[in-house]
Amino acid sequence: MRDFYRRHQLILAPMAGITDRVFRQLCREQGAQFAFTEMVSAKGLSYANEKTAHLVDLGPDETEVGVQLFGHEADTMAAQAAWLRERLGDALAVVDINMGCPARKIVTKGDGASLMQRPDEAAAIVRSVSSAVDVPVTVKFRRGWAEGDETAPEFAKRMEDAGAAAVTVHGRFAQQMYRGGAEWGVIARVVQAVSIPVVGNGDVKGGADAVRMRAETGCSAIMVARAARGNPWVFARCAAALEGRPEPPLPTYEERLALARRHARMLEETYGRRIVKMRTDAMWYVSGIPGATAARRELSACTTADDFCDVLDRLEESIRGREDA
Protein backbone atom coordinates (compact mmCIF):
# COMPACT_ATOMS: atom_id res chain seq x y z
CA MET A 1 0.00 0.00 0.00
CA ARG A 2 2.91 2.42 0.44
CA ASP A 3 3.43 2.54 -3.31
CA PHE A 4 -0.31 3.12 -3.74
CA TYR A 5 -0.17 6.20 -1.52
CA ARG A 6 2.97 7.49 -3.20
CA ARG A 7 0.85 7.62 -6.35
CA HIS A 8 -2.26 8.84 -4.57
CA GLN A 9 -1.28 11.68 -2.25
CA LEU A 10 -4.60 13.51 -2.48
CA ILE A 11 -7.78 11.57 -1.90
CA LEU A 12 -11.43 12.61 -2.13
CA ALA A 13 -13.31 11.34 0.91
CA PRO A 14 -16.39 9.08 0.71
CA MET A 15 -19.09 11.65 1.57
CA ALA A 16 -22.72 10.51 1.66
CA GLY A 17 -24.86 12.41 -0.83
CA ILE A 18 -21.83 14.21 -2.25
CA THR A 19 -19.21 12.08 -3.98
CA ASP A 20 -21.30 10.81 -6.87
CA ARG A 21 -19.63 10.06 -10.20
CA VAL A 22 -20.11 13.64 -11.46
CA PHE A 23 -18.47 15.22 -8.43
CA ARG A 24 -15.66 12.67 -8.53
CA GLN A 25 -14.93 13.62 -12.15
CA LEU A 26 -14.81 17.34 -11.34
CA CYS A 27 -12.43 16.73 -8.44
CA ARG A 28 -10.18 14.47 -10.51
CA GLU A 29 -9.97 17.17 -13.17
CA GLN A 30 -8.63 19.52 -10.53
CA GLY A 31 -6.02 17.14 -9.16
CA ALA A 32 -7.65 14.58 -6.89
CA GLN A 33 -5.50 11.49 -7.40
CA PHE A 34 -7.98 8.99 -5.99
CA ALA A 35 -11.65 9.16 -5.11
CA PHE A 36 -14.14 7.15 -3.11
CA THR A 37 -17.77 6.66 -4.01
CA GLU A 38 -20.37 7.74 -1.53
CA MET A 39 -20.46 5.81 1.73
CA VAL A 40 -22.56 2.69 1.06
CA SER A 41 -24.71 0.60 3.40
CA ALA A 42 -23.77 -3.07 3.33
CA LYS A 43 -27.25 -3.92 4.58
CA GLY A 44 -28.79 -1.87 1.78
CA LEU A 45 -26.72 -3.72 -0.80
CA SER A 46 -27.73 -7.05 0.73
CA TYR A 47 -31.37 -6.25 0.01
CA ALA A 48 -30.50 -5.81 -3.69
CA ASN A 49 -31.67 -2.24 -3.24
CA GLU A 50 -31.07 -0.41 -6.52
CA LYS A 51 -31.28 2.90 -4.69
CA THR A 52 -28.17 1.77 -2.80
CA ALA A 53 -26.46 -0.05 -5.68
CA HIS A 54 -26.48 3.00 -7.95
CA LEU A 55 -24.17 4.73 -5.47
CA VAL A 56 -21.30 2.64 -6.81
CA ASP A 57 -21.98 3.26 -10.50
CA LEU A 58 -18.83 4.49 -12.21
CA GLY A 59 -18.29 7.07 -14.92
CA PRO A 60 -17.27 5.90 -18.41
CA ASP A 61 -13.65 6.95 -17.88
CA GLU A 62 -13.41 5.88 -14.24
CA THR A 63 -10.91 3.05 -14.06
CA GLU A 64 -9.93 3.16 -10.38
CA VAL A 65 -12.10 3.85 -7.35
CA GLY A 66 -12.51 3.09 -3.67
CA VAL A 67 -15.74 2.08 -1.99
CA GLN A 68 -16.48 2.64 1.68
CA LEU A 69 -18.93 0.25 3.34
CA PHE A 70 -20.70 0.84 6.62
CA GLY A 71 -22.42 -1.72 8.81
CA HIS A 72 -21.72 -3.90 11.84
CA GLU A 73 -22.55 -7.44 10.74
CA ALA A 74 -19.30 -9.10 9.71
CA ASP A 75 -20.89 -11.69 7.41
CA THR A 76 -22.98 -9.09 5.60
CA MET A 77 -20.02 -6.75 5.23
CA ALA A 78 -17.90 -9.55 3.77
CA ALA A 79 -20.58 -10.75 1.37
CA GLN A 80 -21.22 -7.25 0.03
CA ALA A 81 -17.51 -6.53 -0.31
CA ALA A 82 -17.26 -9.65 -2.46
CA TRP A 83 -20.28 -8.49 -4.50
CA LEU A 84 -18.62 -5.11 -5.05
CA ARG A 85 -15.47 -6.83 -6.27
CA GLU A 86 -17.53 -8.80 -8.77
CA ARG A 87 -19.55 -5.78 -9.91
CA LEU A 88 -16.67 -3.32 -10.27
CA GLY A 89 -13.93 -5.73 -11.28
CA ASP A 90 -10.46 -4.29 -11.61
CA ALA A 91 -11.80 -0.76 -11.10
CA LEU A 92 -12.19 -1.52 -7.40
CA ALA A 93 -8.85 -0.61 -5.84
CA VAL A 94 -9.75 -0.39 -2.14
CA VAL A 95 -12.57 -1.42 0.17
CA ASP A 96 -12.73 0.91 3.15
CA ILE A 97 -14.73 0.19 6.30
CA ASN A 98 -16.40 3.17 7.93
CA MET A 99 -15.79 3.30 11.66
CA GLY A 100 -15.80 7.07 11.90
CA CYS A 101 -19.18 8.45 10.82
CA PRO A 102 -20.70 10.20 13.87
CA ALA A 103 -24.19 10.78 12.40
CA ARG A 104 -26.92 9.81 14.85
CA LYS A 105 -28.83 7.69 12.34
CA ILE A 106 -25.64 5.67 11.74
CA VAL A 107 -24.30 5.20 15.27
CA THR A 108 -27.70 4.35 16.81
CA LYS A 109 -27.73 1.23 14.62
CA GLY A 110 -24.30 0.18 15.85
CA ASP A 111 -22.51 1.31 12.69
CA GLY A 112 -19.90 3.96 11.94
CA ALA A 113 -18.03 5.50 14.85
CA SER A 114 -19.93 3.41 17.39
CA LEU A 115 -17.64 0.51 16.42
CA MET A 116 -14.77 2.31 18.15
CA GLN A 117 -16.52 1.36 21.40
CA ARG A 118 -16.45 -2.33 20.35
CA PRO A 119 -12.91 -3.02 19.07
CA ASP A 120 -13.34 -6.81 19.15
CA GLU A 121 -16.35 -6.55 16.85
CA ALA A 122 -14.54 -4.04 14.67
CA ALA A 123 -11.56 -6.37 14.31
CA ALA A 124 -13.84 -9.26 13.38
CA ILE A 125 -15.33 -7.18 10.57
CA VAL A 126 -11.88 -6.37 9.20
CA ARG A 127 -10.89 -10.04 9.27
CA SER A 128 -14.09 -11.11 7.50
CA VAL A 129 -13.92 -8.48 4.78
CA SER A 130 -10.21 -9.07 4.21
CA SER A 131 -10.83 -12.77 3.68
CA ALA A 132 -13.63 -12.05 1.20
CA VAL A 133 -11.79 -9.83 -1.29
CA ASP A 134 -8.42 -9.76 -3.02
CA VAL A 135 -8.02 -5.97 -2.81
CA PRO A 136 -6.67 -3.98 0.16
CA VAL A 137 -9.09 -3.41 3.02
CA THR A 138 -8.68 -0.18 4.96
CA VAL A 139 -10.43 1.43 7.92
CA LYS A 140 -11.43 5.03 8.57
CA PHE A 141 -12.07 6.16 12.13
CA ARG A 142 -11.80 9.11 14.49
CA ARG A 143 -9.63 10.22 17.38
CA GLY A 144 -11.91 8.31 19.71
CA TRP A 145 -15.56 7.96 20.63
CA ALA A 146 -15.96 10.11 23.75
CA GLU A 147 -14.58 13.63 23.86
CA GLY A 148 -11.31 13.64 25.78
CA ASP A 149 -10.77 9.88 25.51
CA GLU A 150 -8.26 9.29 22.72
CA THR A 151 -8.23 5.67 21.64
CA ALA A 152 -7.15 5.99 17.99
CA PRO A 153 -3.56 4.69 18.37
CA GLU A 154 -4.61 1.49 20.15
CA PHE A 155 -7.61 1.08 17.84
CA ALA A 156 -5.37 1.48 14.80
CA LYS A 157 -3.08 -1.26 16.09
CA ARG A 158 -6.05 -3.59 16.57
CA MET A 159 -7.17 -2.93 12.98
CA GLU A 160 -3.66 -3.57 11.68
CA ASP A 161 -3.48 -6.86 13.57
CA ALA A 162 -6.86 -7.84 12.10
CA GLY A 163 -5.58 -7.35 8.56
CA ALA A 164 -6.17 -3.69 7.65
CA ALA A 165 -3.76 -2.61 4.92
CA ALA A 166 -3.99 1.08 5.90
CA VAL A 167 -6.02 3.38 8.12
CA THR A 168 -7.43 6.89 7.78
CA VAL A 169 -7.67 9.03 10.91
CA HIS A 170 -9.94 12.04 11.36
CA GLY A 171 -8.67 14.29 14.13
CA ARG A 172 -11.95 14.82 16.00
CA PHE A 173 -13.77 12.67 18.54
CA ALA A 174 -17.04 11.13 17.38
CA GLN A 175 -19.03 12.96 20.05
CA GLN A 176 -17.41 16.19 18.86
CA MET A 177 -19.07 15.76 15.45
CA TYR A 178 -17.59 18.65 13.42
CA ARG A 179 -17.23 21.15 16.25
CA GLY A 180 -13.90 22.75 17.00
CA GLY A 181 -10.71 21.93 15.16
CA ALA A 182 -9.22 18.62 14.14
CA GLU A 183 -6.25 17.56 16.29
CA TRP A 184 -3.54 16.48 13.87
CA GLY A 185 -1.30 15.26 16.68
CA VAL A 186 -3.39 12.11 16.91
CA ILE A 187 -2.55 11.32 13.29
CA ALA A 188 1.15 11.48 14.18
CA ARG A 189 0.56 9.22 17.19
CA VAL A 190 -1.21 6.66 15.00
CA VAL A 191 1.70 6.80 12.52
CA GLN A 192 4.00 5.89 15.43
CA ALA A 193 1.70 3.10 16.63
CA VAL A 194 1.41 1.10 13.39
CA SER A 195 3.59 -0.08 10.53
CA ILE A 196 0.91 0.30 7.82
CA PRO A 197 0.26 3.57 5.94
CA VAL A 198 -1.82 6.24 7.66
CA VAL A 199 -3.96 8.77 5.80
CA GLY A 200 -4.63 12.09 7.51
CA ASN A 201 -8.06 13.71 7.46
CA GLY A 202 -9.60 16.82 8.96
CA ASP A 203 -9.48 20.58 8.28
CA VAL A 204 -7.33 20.51 5.14
CA LYS A 205 -8.71 23.54 3.31
CA GLY A 206 -5.83 24.47 1.02
CA GLY A 207 -2.25 23.93 0.04
CA ALA A 208 -0.66 25.29 3.21
CA ASP A 209 -2.80 22.95 5.30
CA ALA A 210 -1.79 19.94 3.20
CA VAL A 211 1.91 20.74 3.52
CA ARG A 212 1.63 21.30 7.26
CA MET A 213 -0.35 18.11 7.86
CA ARG A 214 2.21 16.00 6.02
CA ALA A 215 5.11 17.68 7.84
CA GLU A 216 3.57 17.49 11.31
CA THR A 217 2.15 13.98 11.14
CA GLY A 218 4.25 11.96 8.72
CA CYS A 219 1.05 10.69 7.10
CA SER A 220 1.32 8.81 3.81
CA ALA A 221 -1.51 10.69 2.09
CA ILE A 222 -4.15 13.32 2.73
CA MET A 223 -7.91 12.91 2.48
CA VAL A 224 -10.00 16.00 1.71
CA ALA A 225 -13.66 16.04 2.60
CA ARG A 226 -15.86 19.07 3.38
CA ALA A 227 -13.41 21.58 1.89
CA ALA A 228 -14.10 20.13 -1.57
CA ARG A 229 -17.81 20.95 -1.49
CA GLY A 230 -18.42 23.46 -4.23
CA ASN A 231 -14.65 23.80 -4.41
CA PRO A 232 -12.92 21.09 -6.49
CA TRP A 233 -10.10 23.62 -6.94
CA VAL A 234 -8.89 22.72 -3.44
CA PHE A 235 -7.11 19.72 -5.00
CA ALA A 236 -5.21 21.87 -7.47
CA ARG A 237 -4.06 24.12 -4.66
CA CYS A 238 -3.02 21.21 -2.45
CA ALA A 239 -1.22 19.44 -5.30
CA ALA A 240 0.78 22.54 -6.16
CA ALA A 241 1.82 23.15 -2.57
CA LEU A 242 2.83 19.54 -1.97
CA GLU A 243 4.98 19.66 -5.10
CA GLY A 244 6.60 22.92 -4.04
CA ARG A 245 4.90 24.99 -6.74
CA PRO A 246 3.01 28.26 -6.22
CA GLU A 247 -0.67 27.64 -5.52
CA PRO A 248 -2.99 28.70 -8.34
CA PRO A 249 -5.20 31.69 -7.52
CA LEU A 250 -8.59 31.14 -5.95
CA PRO A 251 -11.36 30.81 -8.55
CA THR A 252 -13.21 33.98 -9.41
CA TYR A 253 -16.94 34.30 -8.80
CA GLU A 254 -17.46 33.83 -12.53
CA GLU A 255 -15.38 30.65 -12.57
CA ARG A 256 -17.34 29.24 -9.63
CA LEU A 257 -20.66 29.96 -11.31
CA ALA A 258 -19.45 28.50 -14.61
CA LEU A 259 -18.49 25.24 -12.93
CA ALA A 260 -21.79 25.18 -11.04
CA ARG A 261 -23.65 25.42 -14.36
CA ARG A 262 -21.54 22.63 -15.82
CA HIS A 263 -22.11 20.53 -12.68
CA ALA A 264 -25.87 20.95 -13.08
CA ARG A 265 -25.79 19.94 -16.74
CA MET A 266 -23.67 16.88 -15.97
CA LEU A 267 -25.96 15.80 -13.13
CA GLU A 268 -29.05 16.05 -15.32
CA GLU A 269 -27.39 14.10 -18.12
CA THR A 270 -26.25 11.41 -15.68
CA TYR A 271 -29.11 11.14 -13.19
CA GLY A 272 -32.15 12.72 -14.84
CA ARG A 273 -34.76 13.71 -12.29
CA ARG A 274 -32.35 13.16 -9.42
CA ILE A 275 -30.79 16.48 -10.41
CA VAL A 276 -32.62 18.00 -7.43
CA LYS A 277 -29.53 17.04 -5.41
CA MET A 278 -27.92 19.97 -7.20
CA ARG A 279 -29.84 22.23 -4.83
CA THR A 280 -27.33 21.40 -2.13
CA ASP A 281 -24.33 21.44 -4.46
CA ALA A 282 -25.30 24.86 -5.79
CA MET A 283 -25.43 26.32 -2.28
CA TRP A 284 -21.74 25.49 -1.86
CA TYR A 285 -20.77 27.08 -5.17
CA VAL A 286 -22.48 30.39 -4.39
CA SER A 287 -21.34 30.62 -0.76
CA GLY A 288 -19.82 34.02 -0.08
CA ILE A 289 -20.79 35.50 -3.44
CA PRO A 290 -22.61 38.85 -3.20
CA GLY A 291 -26.31 38.22 -3.72
CA ALA A 292 -26.08 34.57 -2.69
CA THR A 293 -28.78 34.85 -0.03
CA ALA A 294 -31.47 35.74 -2.55
CA ALA A 295 -30.11 33.18 -5.03
CA ARG A 296 -30.35 30.39 -2.45
CA ARG A 297 -34.09 30.91 -2.15
CA GLU A 298 -34.46 30.45 -5.90
CA LEU A 299 -32.04 27.52 -6.06
CA SER A 300 -34.05 25.63 -3.45
CA ALA A 301 -36.97 25.47 -5.90
CA CYS A 302 -35.04 24.43 -9.02
CA THR A 303 -35.91 21.10 -10.65
CA THR A 304 -34.02 21.15 -13.98
CA ALA A 305 -30.58 22.13 -15.19
CA ASP A 306 -32.15 25.05 -17.04
CA ASP A 307 -33.67 26.25 -13.76
CA PHE A 308 -30.30 26.16 -12.03
CA CYS A 309 -28.51 27.84 -14.91
CA ASP A 310 -31.10 30.63 -15.07
CA VAL A 311 -30.59 31.44 -11.38
CA LEU A 312 -26.82 31.26 -11.69
CA ASP A 313 -26.91 33.47 -14.80
CA ARG A 314 -28.90 36.12 -12.94
CA LEU A 315 -26.47 35.97 -10.03
CA GLU A 316 -23.55 36.51 -12.41
CA GLU A 317 -25.34 39.46 -14.01
CA SER A 318 -25.87 41.00 -10.58
CA ILE A 319 -22.15 40.61 -9.82
CA ARG A 320 -21.25 42.42 -13.03
CA GLY A 321 -23.73 45.14 -12.18
CA ARG A 322 -22.06 45.67 -8.83
CA GLU A 323 -18.63 45.80 -10.50
CA ASP A 324 -19.84 48.39 -13.05
CA ALA A 325 -21.53 50.57 -10.42
Side-chain angles (χ1 to χ4, degrees):
M1 284 297 280
R2 293 201 180 278
D3 183 61
F4 176 87
Y5 289 116
R6 276 192 286 270
R7 293 181 287 109
H8 302 88
Q9 288 279 294
L10 290 170
I11 300 171
L12 175 64
M15 295 180 282
I18 300 171
T19 53
D20 56 40
R21 60 190 262 193
V22 170
F23 189 62
R24 295 197 301 272
Q25 177 180 334
L26 296 176
C27 289
R28 287 197 307 273
E29 289 175 0
Q30 290 297 326
Q33 296 163 339
F34 188 72
F36 280 88
T37 68
E38 301 178 52
M39 182 177 74
V40 183
S41 165
K43 180 67 76 174
L45 289 176
S46 74
Y47 293 145
N49 185 334
E50 188 53 38
K51 184 178 179 181
T52 301
H54 89 268
L55 298 178
V56 299
D57 287 344
L58 305 186
D61 299 323
E62 203 162 14
T63 60
E64 186 180 50
V65 73
V67 176
Q68 186 186 73
L69 286 173
F70 74 91
H72 65 274
E73 299 169 341
D75 290 347
T76 300
M77 295 281 281
Q80 298 316 307
W83 179 84
L84 285 168
R85 183 69 172 97
E86 181 178 354
R87 178 177 174 124
L88 299 181
D90 291 340
L92 181 64
V94 175
V95 173
D96 189 68
I97 302 172
N98 184 293
M99 298 188 187
C101 180
R104 182 176 179 81
K105 66 180 181 180
I106 299 293
V107 299
T108 54
K109 295 179 180 178
D111 303 335
S114 71
L115 284 165
M116 292 197 75
Q117 300 177 95
R118 309 189 307 279
D120 289 344
E121 188 175 336
I125 292 171
V126 172
R127 284 192 294 270
S128 293
V129 176
S130 296
S131 67
V133 294
D134 58 354
V135 297
V137 174
T138 62
V139 184
K140 185 173 187 290
F141 51 89
R142 286 192 162 219
R143 186 179 180 185
W145 169 260
E147 288 193 60
D149 183 17
E150 182 177 293
T151 59
E154 310 94 88
F155 191 81
K157 184 60 179 170
R158 288 292 303 272
M159 298 307 102
E160 178 183 26
D161 292 343
V167 296
T168 299
V169 184
H170 179 96
R172 288 179 176 86
F173 297 105
Q175 290 183 344
Q176 191 180 350
M177 300 292 286
Y178 296 98
R179 291 182 287 104
E183 161 56 34
W184 292 352
V186 67
I187 301 170
R189 290 187 284 276
V190 171
V191 169
Q192 293 298 314
V194 298
S195 59
I196 54 177
V198 177
V199 180
N201 174 229
D203 292 356
V204 173
K205 302 173 184 176
D209 294 331
V211 169
R212 187 165 63 87
M213 175 181 276
R214 187 171 66 178
E216 292 183 3
T217 69
C219 63
S220 297
I222 294 164
M223 181 175 284
V224 179
R226 292 181 296 159
R229 298 180 301 181
N231 181 31
W233 299 276
V234 68
F235 288 103
R237 294 176 63 80
C238 288
L242 289 171
E243 294 169 8
R245 297 183 285 109
E247 292 186 44
L250 292 169
T252 64
Y253 293 154
E254 290 78 9
E255 287 171 331
R256 288 165 59 182
L257 295 174
L259 189 59
R261 286 189 286 265
R262 181 179 170 220
H263 194 157
R265 296 293 186 196
M266 291 172 68
L267 277 177
E268 186 168 70
E269 181 180 336
T270 303
Y271 295 113
R273 294 181 63 183
R274 292 206 297 271
I275 190 180
V276 291
K277 79 183 296 296
M278 184 66 197
R279 293 173 181 173
T280 303
D281 293 321
M283 302 300 181
W284 302 330
Y285 282 108
V286 305
S287 178
I289 295 179
T293 300
R296 285 192 188 96
R297 289 193 290 269
E298 296 183 73
L299 290 168
S300 65
C302 292
T303 58
T304 67
D306 283 343
D307 292 342
F308 285 107
C309 290
D310 287 344
V311 175
L312 296 168
D313 286 345
R314 288 194 295 274
L315 180 57
E316 185 165 346
E317 289 171 6
S318 74
I319 293 170
R320 289 175 179 164
R322 290 170 187 263
E323 292 173 346
D324 294 339

